[in-house]
Amino acid sequence: MQVSVETTQGLERKLSISVPAETVDLEVKNRLRQLARTQRINGFRPGKVPVSVIQKRYGQSVRQEVAGEIMQRNFVDAIVAEKLNPAGRPHFVAKSNEEGKELEFEATFEIYPEIELAGLDTVNVEKPVVEVTDADLDEMFVTLQNQHKTWKENKRKTKKGDRLTLDFNGRVDGEEFEGGKAENFVLELGSGRMIPGFEKEITGMKVNEEKTISVTFPEDYHAENLKGKDAEFDIKVHKTEGPVLPEIDDEFAKLFGVEDGGVEALRVEVKKNMERELTQAVKAKVKEQVLDGIVAANEVDVPKALVAQEIDALRQQAMQRFGGQMDPKNMPQLPAEMFEEQAQRRVKVGLLLGEVIKVNELKVDEAKVKALIESAASAYEDPQEVIEYYNNNKELMQQMQHVALEEQAIDLVLEKANVEEKASNFKDIMNPQG
């Protein structure tokens, strides 16, 4: 085998490889002999078909099949010999594939970039210092009450938080438009389901009241024909209801599976869940800053093949999110441009974290893996069952090991980064604005 390497552009490489004719021809002949023993052809007994007949009928396809296998094998041998690290699959082109002649082919592919990590000491991280307070816990209980509220019909003027059953009929430039009409539509004031101004205009209406309101569609509205348009809606209210929150008592606690200990036991359980979610949110916030820092400090060429793979993965995730709302057969192919920037970043992050792991010879910390699994399992009713499920599922365990190794890499960067602690609160961490 003879090999030459050419750098075409950027990370792309082209291998030109030639394989001796006798190597290819011998394998083709052996394959044809095997075929002769198994093929049934009219006029010949099974296993007695002359190789010349097999050659005439199947020779070309067998040669192509053999050439494909030889190209793959020799490509692997060549990249090992040339110490190349391919990113993505190669594209093979046979330049010569004839009996009695060398098999000459080209393999074009991209390689992983060589990375020299720099600037880890320039990474700036603002680490939130925060805890779950009694006030946070009280506010969470209000949220839980709202999740289990009931409705009581009333006759008063409506206010934010009330629920209305109404008819509406909209017009733009005096003409009705698609989607602008509904009957017995149920709307909670303050939910933000309607266009800006709609809920404000109907707040204060009472049962059986009719009213015409004026609103303006946003400039970024999804329907092109309605963007920025002034509209009128005729409103008629059929029913108004006010929210009724459940009492916070032992029965309330039982709604969340707390049979013993009542409200105090529920508060302990809810606080534990809040603290777990807060820990994850703080970790994610710190991680994002670390990743932003190392990406900013290191210019990396990214293989197009890896970006394409990430685009496919992101597209698949998006399709799955929309899948419940639309028949997959009718779903359009989402354009690659939608995911290009995110895919580029994901590849860069993967390459840089991989280099952190490689340079520092990091190995999976099994204690960290165990802690991660236990943390995830603590959110379930039977944590031990979840732990055993992880331990008995090779794929899930590998995923958690990958998470642990990534966290170890993040921790190592944090040791060299400029970390400043900043007092914060639960609400700002869990519900960041903007």
Side-chain angles (χ1 to χ4, degrees):
M1 177 182 72
Q2 293 182 338
V3 180
S4 65
V5 184
E6 177 187 351
T7 299
T8 50
Q9 57 177 351
L11 298 174
E12 190 177 86
R13 300 290 184 272
K14 182 190 289 184
L15 287 180
S16 297
I17 301 174
S18 60
V19 182
E22 55 268 25
T23 300
V24 183
D25 291 347
L26 179 60
E27 195 160 335
V28 170
K29 287 177 183 177
N30 289 337
R31 192 73 57 89
L32 290 171
R33 289 195 189 98
Q34 292 172 8
L35 207 55
R37 290 197 291 268
T38 59
Q39 288 300 304
R40 292 179 177 273
I41 296 179
N42 291 337
F44 298 97
R45 286 181 295 163
K48 299 296 183 178
V49 182
V51 173
S52 59
V53 174
I54 295 294
Q55 165 74 38
K56 186 175 181 180
R57 181 171 292 195
Y58 300 108
Q60 191 59 37
S61 61
V62 167
R63 175 166 288 277
Q64 289 177 352
E65 180 183 294
V66 168
E69 294 172 7
I70 289 177
M71 284 191 287
Q72 185 64 49
R73 289 202 305 266
N74 281 267
F75 170 74
V76 173
D77 292 342
I79 60 173
V80 170
E82 299 293 333
K83 298 179 180 178
L84 297 171
N85 188 9
R89 294 182 178 181
H91 174 65
F92 293 118
V93 175
K95 309 300 285 187
S96 172
N97 181 22
E98 298 177 26
E99 185 176 0
K101 294 183 180 180
E102 287 186 334
L103 169 63
E104 297 178 353
F105 69 95
E106 294 175 346
T108 306
F109 57 98
E110 290 177 292
I111 61 170
Y112 282 90
E114 292 185 8
I115 299 173
E116 292 186 13
L117 281 171
L120 299 189
D121 56 350
T122 67
V123 174
N124 296 314
V125 176
E126 191 174 83
K127 183 179 181 180
V129 178
V130 59
E131 62 181 20
V132 177
T133 66
D134 288 341
D136 296 324
L137 191 54
D138 292 340
E139 193 169 332
M140 181 59 71
F141 265 72
V142 173
T143 299
L144 296 177
Q145 282 181 290
N146 274 288
Q147 289 174 355
H148 290 80
K149 66 188 172 187
T150 55
W151 298 95
K152 183 178 180 181
E153 196 167 346
N154 59 40
K155 303 295 182 183
R156 59 172 170 74
K157 288 185 176 182
T158 53
K159 59 184 180 180
K160 184 178 180 180
D162 286 347
R163 190 166 74 174
L164 289 75
T165 301
L166 52 88
D167 298 342
F168 62 80
N169 189 14
R171 297 178 301 280
V172 169
D173 297 329
E175 299 289 334
E176 294 183 5
F177 56 89
E178 186 178 354
K181 186 176 184 178
E183 294 181 352
N184 293 314
F185 184 78
V186 179
L187 176 64
E188 184 177 337
L189 295 177
S191 63
R193 288 176 61 193
M194 309 301 283
I195 62 173
F198 190 100
E199 293 176 26
K200 180 181 177 182
E201 289 294 323
I202 66 173
T203 299
M205 293 184 72
K206 298 189 296 185
V207 175
N208 296 325
E209 185 176 350
E210 297 184 34
K211 181 181 180 181
T212 298
I213 66 172
S214 298
V215 292
T216 302
F217 281 93
E219 292 291 345
D220 60 352
Y221 194 66
H222 62 84
E224 192 68 33
N225 62 317
L226 297 176
K227 288 182 177 181
K229 294 280 189 175
D230 294 328
E232 288 186 334
F233 284 88
D234 295 330
I235 308 292
K236 182 175 181 179
V237 178
H238 295 295
K239 183 168 70 172
T240 63
E241 300 166 288
V244 179
L245 300 181
E247 292 291 330
I248 298 178
D249 52 20
D250 289 355
E251 291 303 312
F252 182 73
K254 289 178 181 178
L255 293 173
F256 301 91
V258 177
E259 297 292 335
D260 300 317
V263 175
E264 283 308 310
L266 178 61
R267 286 181 70 87
V268 170
E269 193 62 32
V270 171
K271 186 173 184 178
K272 190 189 301 180
N273 290 339
M274 291 173 69
E275 288 173 338
R276 181 177 57 251
E277 291 175 5
L278 180 61
T279 298
Q280 291 301 321
V282 169
K283 188 185 292 185
K285 194 174 182 68
V286 169
K287 176 182 176 180
E288 193 66 18
Q289 293 177 77
V290 168
L291 298 182
D292 285 345
I294 62 174
V295 168
N298 292 273
E299 285 292 329
V300 181
D301 288 332
V302 294
K304 295 174 185 176
L306 298 187
V307 174
Q309 289 174 18
E310 284 296 333
I311 287 174
D312 285 343
L314 290 167
R315 181 188 282 127
Q316 190 65 34
Q317 291 169 12
M319 299 283 274
Q320 288 171 353
R321 285 197 298 273
F322 297 136
Q325 306 168 27
M326 187 185 298
D327 185 343
K329 296 178 183 176
N330 297 328
M331 291 182 66
Q333 176 78 333
L334 300 175
E337 293 75 21
M338 284 181 63
F339 311 104
E340 180 81 29
E341 187 176 343
Q342 187 181 358
Q344 288 264 359
R345 175 181 164 80
R346 282 174 63 160
V347 172
K348 284 182 182 179
V349 165
L351 291 171
L352 290 168
L353 283 184
E355 192 66 15
V356 172
I357 292 167
K358 175 185 169 184
V359 168
N360 294 279
E361 300 181 345
L362 297 181
K363 305 296 180 186
V364 175
D365 183 345
E366 294 300 336
K368 181 178 275 289
V369 174
K370 183 180 178 182
L372 287 169
I373 293 173
E374 289 175 349
S375 176
S378 66
Y380 293 85
E381 187 175 346
D382 187 347
Q384 189 56 41
E385 183 180 345
V386 177
I387 291 171
E388 289 175 4
Y389 184 70
Y390 268 91
N391 290 335
N392 294 322
N393 189 307
K394 185 177 179 181
E395 185 177 342
L396 280 178
M397 183 59 74
Q398 287 176 341
Q399 289 176 7
M400 197 58 82
Q401 288 171 341
H402 177 78
V403 172
L405 193 56
E406 187 177 89
E407 286 197 5
Q408 290 170 236
I410 296 291
D411 290 342
L412 192 143
V413 177
L414 276 172
E415 291 175 7
K416 301 180 180 181
N418 305 309
V419 181
E420 180 182 349
E421 293 187 342
K422 181 183 178 182
S424 189
N425 60 66
F426 182 83
K427 186 183 294 185
D428 288 345
I429 298 300
M430 300 306 298
N431 302 296
Q433 300 298 315

